Amino acid sequence: MKRFLLVLVIVLVVVSFGETKLRIGVTPVPFVEILEFIRPELEAAGIDLEIVVFSDYVLPNLALASKELDANFFQHIQYLKSFTSQRGIEGLVAAVNVLIAPMGFYMKKPYEELSKGDKIALPNDPTNETRALLLLHNNGVITLKDPGKADITVLDVQENPKGIVLLEMEAGFVPRVFKEDTTVAGAVINTNYALSIGLNSQKDATFVEGKGSPYANFIVVREEDLDSEWLENLARIITRDEVREFILEKFEGSIVPTF
C-alpha cells in the first residue's frame, strides 16, 4: 500500500511539473472568446490557461511589466509603443500578429441629421484618438490641419462644418457613454468595445476603417519570453486555419484575422 502511494505521488509530481501555467490579460470581446476556443489545444500542449479580463487599456500592460501576467492580448503596436514610452516601461514586445479590429463611427440617428452641438464621444489615448479623428476626417465629418501628424488631438481640427462637439474619454468609457448618455449623438468606438454592447462594425457603423488598417492586434510578451516553448506553442495554435474560420464566423466580419 505504501509503495502504491509513493508511486501515485511521483506520478502526480511528474504531471504537475509537466504543465505550464499561462496567464494572459485581455479586454473582453473578442479576445476571451478566441482564447477559450483554443483552450483545448493549449491543454493538449501542456498549457494551463488562465484568462485575466480587464475593462481598460492601461492595467494589462502594467500587469505584464510587473510579471503578474505572462502575456496580454488586446492592443496594436502603435498603442504599445505610445503607452510604454509615456510610462517608461521597457521590455514589452509584440510577438504574435492575430487580428485587425476596424474602428467604427456609430450614430443614434441618420448621418444626414447630424447637426451643430451634437456630441460625439471618442477615445483619448494618443493612438486611438488619432485613429478616431482620422476616421472622421476621411469621411468628411471634420478636416484636420495635418492628417499625417503622429499624434492627433481635437486641437488639430481645422474645420468642423457640422459644429459637432468632440468628447474625449478613456476608450473603455466610450461604449457606455454612447449607450447610456441620451445627450450623445454618436461615438467612435474600438471594435472590441463595440462588440461588448452588441454592435457589429460591418452592420451597425455609419462608416468604418478599411480592412487595410495598420492597427493589427498582437499577443504581447516580455522580451525574455520570446524564445519560450509556451509562446511557440501559443503562436502555432492561435494561427491555425480553424481559428481563422472561428473568428470570421463568430464575429461576422467585424474582426479580421491577419494570418
Side-chain angles (χ1 to χ4, degrees):
M1 183 64 177
K2 289 182 178 179
R3 182 178 180 183
F4 172 76
L5 290 174
L6 178 60
V7 171
L8 180 60
V9 170
I10 291 174
V11 170
L12 289 174
V13 170
V14 170
V15 170
S16 64
F17 273 88
E19 189 175 68
T20 300
K21 183 76 173 180
L22 180 61
R23 303 186 82 228
I24 301 181
V26 299
T27 49
V29 187
F31 308 104
V32 171
E33 288 85 347
I34 294 170
L35 290 179
E36 288 292 357
F37 181 75
I38 67 171
R39 184 186 291 277
E41 286 72 29
L42 292 175
E43 290 178 352
I47 296 175
D48 179 16
L49 174 66
E50 179 183 351
I51 302 172
V52 182
V53 181
F54 296 88
S55 61
D56 63 73
Y57 287 166
V58 176
L59 294 178
N61 278 330
L62 297 180
L64 180 57
S66 63
K67 300 189 176 182
E68 297 171 56
L69 299 173
D70 300 299
N72 65 43
F73 181 26
F74 76 98
Q75 65 189 318
H76 45 71
I77 290 180
Q78 295 87 336
Y79 179 81
L80 174 66
K81 289 181 177 179
S82 174
F83 183 88
T84 53
S85 174
Q86 287 182 344
R87 300 280 179 141
I89 296 173
E90 298 181 349
L92 300 189
V93 293
V96 187
N97 188 339
V98 182
L99 59 88
I100 292 172
M103 183 177 276
F105 177 51
Y106 301 84
M107 293 191 62
K108 295 177 181 176
K109 61 182 180 180
Y111 177 70
E112 295 74 21
E113 296 180 12
L114 191 63
S115 58
K116 185 176 181 179
D118 279 346
K119 297 176 182 178
I120 305 299
L122 69 161
N124 65 358
D125 62 272
T127 54
N128 285 309
E129 183 168 12
T130 297
R131 289 177 72 184
L133 291 171
L134 281 173
L135 181 62
L136 297 177
H137 169 86
N138 291 337
N139 287 277
V141 182
I142 60 172
T143 300
L144 296 169
K145 298 172 186 175
D146 180 10
K149 184 180 175 183
D151 291 331
I152 301 172
T153 72
V154 294
L155 298 177
D156 296 299
V157 175
Q158 185 173 46
E159 296 178 13
N160 181 3
K162 293 184 177 294
I164 60 174
V165 178
L166 298 171
L167 304 177
E168 302 164 286
M169 63 192 69
E170 201 278 317
F173 292 144
V174 176
R176 179 179 175 183
V177 169
F178 174 70
K179 187 176 181 179
E180 300 178 3
D181 190 336
T182 57
T183 69
V184 170
V188 184
I189 311 177
N190 294 77
T191 291
N192 59 313
Y193 286 130
L195 287 168
S196 72
I197 58 171
L199 296 175
N200 182 305
S201 63
Q202 302 305 305
K203 297 179 179 180
D204 303 311
T206 302
F207 37 77
V208 65
E209 284 179 325
K211 293 187 177 181
S213 168
Y215 296 97
N217 289 160
F218 282 70
I219 292 173
V220 174
V221 301
R222 290 185 296 277
E223 191 170 8
E224 65 201 55
D225 290 322
L226 273 176
D227 297 322
S228 64
E229 183 178 354
W230 64 258
L231 180 58
E232 180 182 350
N233 284 324
L234 175 60
R236 172 179 55 81
I237 291 169
I238 205 168
T239 56
R240 289 163 47 245
D241 289 342
E242 292 86 348
V243 180
R244 180 191 302 112
E245 293 167 6
F246 168 78
I247 292 172
L248 291 172
E249 181 178 349
K250 175 71 175 178
F251 304 107
E252 301 178 306
S254 63
I255 302 295
V256 184
T258 55
F259 52 91

